[in-house]
Amino acid sequence: MKIERVELLELRMPLVHFFETSFGRTADRRIVLVRAEAGGQEGWGEVTCGEAPFYSYETPETAWHILRDFLIPWALEKPWNSPAEIARRFQPVRGHNMAKAALENALWDIQAQRQRVPLARLLGGTREEIPCGVSIGIQNSPEELLEKIQRELDAGYQRIKVKIKPGWDIEILERIRNRFPDIDLMADANSAYTLEGLPHLRLLDQFRLMMIEQPLGWYDLIDHARLQREIKTPICLDESIHSAEDARKAIEIEACKIINVKLGRVGGYTAAREIHDVCVARQVPIWCGGMLESGIGRAHNIAMSSLPGFTLPGDVSASRRYWKEDIIDPEVTVTGKGTIAVPKEPGLGYRPNLARIATVTVRKDLFESRT
Ligand code: OSB
Ligand code: MG
């Protein structure tokens, strides 16, 4: 099949509530979307980077550059038989996984539409609904955080993740556990600690957390393995895992007991499915992380979460938690028991709302095949 056209769009979308992690606060999202056309079908993907290079080095500008100058020309250059082949074509570019994922995933959407199957099924997904959790950022006060947790539990979400950092950790978790002794609770540090803080990190063991996510360096495996030997709470890696190779090594040296899979961070479905298989073979539970995505990225996360190895609730939640109005129809909704139904329509199963997208688009570029 030949790709006839690829369009890049940059969107500006304000979040309904700011989102704060150990590395900073976001209130206005800049989102780069990829729209690809092949064989009369149109597929969509999302670059899931942050506005600033604080989670990883990618930003909307680096993604635009890598897509425009390398990935899109390579994709348009010659026909393709499978999205996995395109993933291989992208391999000479070191890193820039979020840029790669946006285009590769758009082609998976096209492939699923061509075969008239839901994307989830094309990927090998078996679940009809996926279990959902929420990720709650650092708030202005502990009271606000407790109130937010209550609201999400009332909505049905199956587990609560809170962001922690030095100064917003032990006391906060104590308050949460006092008020909600039995909920499924976990904490994400986004690399806010070092091994020097080991005595402090040991204090986390008292809160019966499901896991602590990425406590140490954003590229580290070795120190996480040392930490895991010293604490009982299972470590989950996010930032450190970029490929199936990374997953295999992390598991081998016991740097983690759980892995958070993000489509962007690992470079698309081909790599995500490889990580899935590595983890299933070694009986390591995985779950789908989130990057404050628009409906396009969210729809992709739902498809991926339908794979059998995604046994733990993901950070995949309702559109309304992020946006006043999302850019897909229907918006993503969550049932009272904290699940999202996996769509049964061909492709992504959520239609891009073109009128809505047009109103929030601030930059566009179109690339066409010359043959
Ligand atoms: O570490 O999982 C993370 C958001 C932005 C960057 C990193 C992370 C997050 C989240 C939010 O935790 C998950 C979501 O609700 O999309
Ligand atoms: Mg994380």
Side-chain angles (χ1 to χ4, degrees):
M1 193 185 338
K2 214 171 156 13
I3 302 169
E4 288 119 25
R5 215 164 278 113
V6 178
E7 190 172 34
L8 289 181
L9 301 96
E10 182 183 338
L11 279 43
R12 298 286 165 107
M13 293 174 66
L15 290 166
V16 293
H17 186 271
F18 68 81
F19 191 82
E20 186 172 325
T21 66
S22 63
F23 58 73
R25 189 181 272 202
T26 312
D28 288 298
R29 300 264 11 250
R30 287 176 69 183
I31 295 174
V32 175
L33 296 182
V34 171
R35 187 182 66 80
E37 286 176 45
Q41 314 284 352
E42 186 177 280
W44 290 77
E46 175 168 339
V47 178
T48 61
C49 62
E51 288 62 44
F54 301 157
Y55 168 84
S56 77
Y57 56 79
E58 291 189 82
T59 69
E61 294 296 332
T62 68
W64 198 280
H65 158 54
I66 295 295
L67 279 156
R68 178 194 60 206
D69 296 332
F70 300 97
L71 307 180
I72 293 173
W74 293 351
L76 291 172
E77 196 172 75
K78 52 181 198 264
W80 54 288
N81 292 308
S82 70
E85 189 186 314
I86 293 285
R88 271 198 302 280
R89 219 181 276 182
F90 291 169
Q91 267 174 7
V93 167
R94 306 284 193 224
H96 296 281
N97 282 353
M98 294 170 181
K100 290 172 178 171
L103 182 46
E104 189 203 318
N105 293 354
L107 302 184
W108 279 95
D109 180 15
I110 289 174
Q111 183 92 327
Q113 292 175 57
R114 281 178 67 83
Q115 298 184 14
R116 306 196 156 283
V117 293
L119 177 51
R121 293 295 164 271
L122 179 63
L123 294 166
T126 50
R127 262 168 237 288
E128 301 213 333
E129 55 178 11
I130 61 164
C132 306
V134 289
S135 174
I136 306 181
I138 293 165
Q139 305 297 313
N140 287 325
S141 70
E143 292 72 28
E144 275 169 64
L145 177 62
L146 292 171
E147 218 168 279
K148 279 209 139 179
I149 293 173
Q150 183 68 61
R151 214 174 313 142
E152 304 298 10
L153 292 169
D154 290 345
Y157 287 102
Q158 298 184 14
R159 72 101 170 96
I160 300 290
K161 158 170 145 183
V162 294
K163 293 290 189 177
I164 56 169
K165 64 174 183 182
W168 182 274
D169 50 10
I170 305 304
E171 234 176 279
I172 295 298
L173 291 166
E174 240 159 29
R175 305 246 335 227
I176 297 173
R177 267 302 179 221
N178 283 340
R179 172 131 167 222
F180 308 104
D182 299 321
I183 60 169
D184 281 346
L185 178 66
M186 58 174 291
D188 185 359
N190 290 107
S191 297
Y193 303 90
T194 67
L195 265 189
E196 277 163 43
L198 180 60
H200 184 75
L201 288 167
R202 278 188 210 284
L203 299 174
L204 294 171
D205 272 343
Q206 63 189 295
F207 300 113
R208 289 166 289 117
L209 300 177
M210 299 168 79
M211 67 195 91
I212 160 104
E213 187 176 340
Q214 197 74 30
L216 307 178
W218 68 280
Y219 234 92
D220 171 76
L221 296 180
I222 306 282
D223 281 0
H224 280 103
R226 288 182 56 189
L227 176 62
Q228 185 66 91
R229 289 197 292 274
E230 302 290 333
I231 62 172
K232 289 203 293 287
T233 307
I235 293 176
C236 169
L237 288 177
D238 172 355
E239 282 90 328
S240 290
I241 306 295
H242 310 94
S243 63
E245 276 285 278
D246 286 346
R248 177 183 61 75
K249 291 172 187 169
I251 295 166
E252 218 165 274
I253 67 168
E254 295 175 51
C256 65
K257 294 183 176 160
I258 300 168
I259 290 178
N260 164 341
V261 182
K262 289 180 179 169
L263 277 166
R265 196 193 68 230
V266 307
Y269 284 120
T270 300
R273 291 202 306 172
E274 287 168 6
I275 293 173
H276 170 272
D277 294 350
V278 163
C279 291
V280 168
R282 290 163 178 76
Q283 292 172 33
V284 170
I286 56 177
W287 55 277
C288 178
M291 290 293 290
L292 312 175
E293 288 93 342
S294 80
I296 300 291
R298 197 164 302 281
H300 280 291
N301 288 343
I302 293 166
M304 181 172 74
S305 302
S306 73
L307 294 178
F310 286 80
T311 51
L312 295 169
D315 283 343
V316 187
S317 54
S319 296
R320 53 174 302 210
R321 294 190 61 249
Y322 306 84
W323 317 111
K324 206 162 151 230
E325 198 187 341
D326 205 342
I327 57 170
I328 50 166
D329 280 319
E331 298 203 341
V332 174
T333 55
V334 169
T335 66
K337 57 183 168 75
T339 61
I340 294 174
V342 177
K344 294 188 157 63
E345 296 78 35
L348 263 185
Y350 294 88
R351 292 174 308 281
N353 180 336
L354 300 179
R356 171 82 187 125
I357 290 172
T359 64
V360 292
T361 298
V362 296
R363 169 162 66 148
K364 282 204 268 197
D365 209 347
L366 184 67
F367 308 86
E368 294 189 87
S369 158
R370 269 183 260 126
T371 54

